[in-house]
Amino acid sequence: MPLAIPILAAVLAATIGILSTTNHFLSEDRLRQTNILKFQPDKFQGGNKQERYFEGWYYKFVSQPISLQSDHYDGRFAVEKDTSFSMAVVPGIFYSDASVSKDESHAFIFVTLNGQQQHYYRFDVDQFTYAAANEEYYIQVGKNRFTKDGVSLDLYPQSNDDADLILRGNLKFTNSSPWPVSLLELGAMGSVGWMPGLECTHGILSFDHELSGNLSLATSVNNSSSSDATTSSASSLQISMDGGRGYTEKDFGRSFPSLWVWIQTNSFRKNPGTSLFVSLARIPTPFFGIEFPGFTAAIWHNGELISFATWSGAAFDDIRISKEEVYIAMRSARHGRSKYRVEISVDRRNVPEVLLYAPVNFTRMEPFVWEALRATVHMRLLDDKGNVILDDMGDYAGLEVHGSVQYLVDNLCGKKTANKLICL
């Protein structure tokens, strides 16, 4: 037995060395060329799924300030004069558990306008198509196509949709900035992405990109089963997205976590192109019912990725969650000297929220997640000597605070209530 320990240690060290060398040798391009979906997080991951599965791509757009011709406020689309317009368009697929309920499987697109309106469109499953492993990424739902370079939208409500918005237009993306993928770090999930049986997997497809193009928004007087809905629509609002900024992420798995906090903005006032992403959740595992608080977060600044995550060894210094504010302080290393520290404060006061659709109990999609798209974030990024790298305000921030999030506060390392194996 005494001899076995050093042998195991030597084998482990050799394995880590081989993996590290391989990780350095295999570039992201080479990994993607293997056509293994783990290394292509943008693509549809559920080709072999038939039930109890969802996958959704979250496309966020923020325009330059809009000049309305007349009124200061267009209530049809929650658009205010001389302010930017924010929206999210989320295509996806949901496969229900048909053994416990009628088959609710369907493709979908939902749209949220300025965090104040929500529109949900259902499609037959066979109207959802996607790129093969050896093709360039795309997904298509009905007439709506989504790629890494842009989107083409032709949305109109049908009789079974929870929507009255007609949305058409084409947007082009330039200078996209995805979370890099390597053999040991699968993007936002890092090494945790290799864990089997994850409830939900997260991916960042672009922290920030520039937008160009136009969108046309109109309200439908009565739902129609065809694109002829345009004949019964009120006058449309034309919005130029030239000079706007975009962000793209995705989720896939069996279901959403039971609780989480999500923060995102790439609309910083002094640092255009800088992007912040934070996700905290209770993570169940397939191992004997073990669960733990986990997080993945990152700042994209001047073309550099600064990650803060459970898998990267980062740690929380503080976390406070109230109806008025979400406050988080993190450092990039739990032990020893941290290269970075970030302080994030999200103002929740008087911020509009809208109820979005999400998978529920494997059986259906229904509205149960409150999301804001107009929160304000104050972020301070410091180096290991305490020098301020960034001190900026981020507007049009996405914010979700879902479930009994006191669990996350209680699991701050050092508290008596914290998980003894893994804490924040």
Side-chain angles (χ1 to χ4, degrees):
M1 181 65 69
L3 184 60
I5 295 176
I7 291 176
L8 287 173
V11 170
L12 179 60
T15 302
I16 293 174
I18 292 170
L19 287 174
S20 298
T21 302
T22 306
N23 187 57
H24 178 75
F25 175 73
L26 287 177
S27 66
E28 183 168 356
D29 285 342
R30 290 191 178 187
L31 289 172
R32 291 184 71 92
Q33 289 168 11
T34 65
N35 295 332
I36 297 173
L37 288 175
K38 285 281 190 182
F39 304 131
Q40 304 181 74
D42 46 357
K43 292 185 179 178
F44 180 51
Q45 306 287 309
N48 62 343
K49 303 294 184 181
Q50 297 286 327
E51 62 176 3
R52 294 168 67 103
Y53 183 80
F54 78 95
E55 190 160 348
W57 292 255
Y58 184 97
Y59 285 80
K60 179 186 174 186
F61 312 127
V62 179
S63 74
Q64 291 283 352
I66 293 174
S67 296
L68 296 178
Q69 292 183 351
S70 55
D71 297 336
H72 292 285
Y73 180 75
D74 189 328
R76 294 175 302 163
F77 314 114
V79 177
E80 296 182 28
K81 187 176 183 179
D82 298 329
T83 64
S84 294
F85 175 73
S86 62
M87 68 183 302
V89 179
V90 184
I93 187 82
F94 171 71
Y95 294 120
S96 68
D97 185 346
S99 66
V100 296
S101 67
K102 66 177 183 179
D103 190 1
E104 286 286 328
S105 299
H106 64 280
F108 62 84
I109 297 176
F110 70 76
V111 178
T112 172
L113 305 180
N114 262 343
Q116 293 176 261
Q117 294 184 14
Q118 181 278 148
H119 302 270
Y120 190 84
Y121 308 81
R122 294 172 65 108
F123 298 82
D124 292 338
V125 169
D126 59 10
Q127 290 183 275
F128 175 82
T129 58
Y130 55 92
N134 60 349
E135 293 179 315
E136 283 288 321
Y137 158 71
Y138 79 86
I139 56 168
Q140 185 154 337
V141 183
K143 298 179 180 179
N144 305 273
R145 191 174 181 89
F146 303 81
T147 73
K148 66 180 181 63
D149 298 319
V151 300
S152 177
L153 300 171
D154 186 5
L155 272 173
Y156 46 87
Q158 302 183 67
S159 58
N160 61 341
D161 293 338
D162 181 12
D164 63 8
L165 173 71
I166 300 171
L167 175 62
R168 292 190 169 98
N170 296 281
L171 298 181
K172 182 180 178 181
F173 307 159
T174 54
N175 299 322
S176 293
S177 47
W179 194 315
V181 172
S182 68
L183 184 64
L184 297 182
E185 296 183 2
L186 298 175
M189 299 300 292
S191 54
V192 177
W194 288 109
M195 182 185 295
L198 285 173
E199 178 183 48
C200 184
T201 296
H202 202 84
I204 305 297
L205 309 187
S206 180
F207 282 100
D208 176 81
H209 46 262
E210 300 160 19
L211 300 175
S212 60
N214 297 279
L215 295 175
S216 171
L217 289 75
T219 51
S220 177
V221 175
N222 60 323
N223 288 350
S224 170
S225 60
S226 75
S227 57
D228 292 339
T230 53
T231 61
S232 60
S233 66
S235 60
S236 62
L237 175 67
Q238 306 297 318
I239 296 180
S240 171
M241 300 302 289
D242 291 347
R245 308 211 75 89
Y247 165 86
T248 311
E249 66 171 48
K250 70 179 296 187
D251 288 288
F252 62 92
R254 299 189 310 277
S255 67
F256 280 3
S258 60
L259 59 93
W260 72 85
V261 172
W262 171 78
I263 304 165
Q264 189 283 322
T265 181
N266 55 319
S267 297
F268 284 96
R269 299 174 188 177
K270 297 184 290 186
N271 294 273
T274 293
S275 181
L276 168 70
F277 155 77
V278 180
S279 180
L280 304 80
R282 178 162 58 191
I283 312 297
T285 73
F287 310 115
F288 311 107
I290 296 173
E291 60 183 22
F292 62 89
F295 67 98
T296 179
I299 298 167
W300 180 266
H301 179 60
N302 290 338
E304 179 186 359
L305 175 66
I306 303 170
S307 61
F308 298 82
T310 304
W311 52 265
S312 69
F316 274 62
D317 287 331
D318 196 6
I319 176 171
R320 302 191 300 269
I321 303 173
S322 70
K323 293 182 179 179
E324 292 76 32
E325 179 191 37
V326 176
Y327 176 81
I328 290 171
M330 296 181 288
R331 61 187 186 279
S332 57
R334 184 178 300 276
H335 303 291
R337 192 170 187 174
S338 293
K339 188 175 181 181
Y340 298 103
R341 172 184 162 87
V342 64
E343 300 165 358
I344 301 162
S345 176
V346 187
D347 187 352
R348 303 182 68 188
R349 294 170 297 179
N350 302 316
V351 175
E353 295 182 322
V354 66
L355 200 56
L356 302 184
Y357 278 73
V360 178
N361 296 331
F362 313 115
T363 59
R364 63 197 183 279
M365 293 283 289
E366 71 176 31
F368 86 114
V369 176
W370 288 102
E371 181 182 286
L373 267 185
R374 300 181 69 183
T376 302
V377 173
H378 181 201
M379 180 177 72
R380 296 178 76 242
L381 177 66
L382 302 91
D383 65 16
D384 58 353
K385 298 178 180 178
N387 299 313
V388 177
I389 301 171
L390 276 173
D391 189 340
D392 205 348
M393 303 295 293
D395 298 313
Y396 306 100
L399 175 67
E400 296 174 2
V401 179
H402 182 81
S404 302
V405 292
Q406 183 62 36
Y407 168 88
L408 299 171
V409 177
D410 291 342
N411 273 282
L412 181 68
C413 290
K415 287 191 173 184
K416 293 182 179 179
T417 51
N419 187 302
K420 298 301 184 291
L421 295 177
I422 302 177
C423 53
L424 297 178

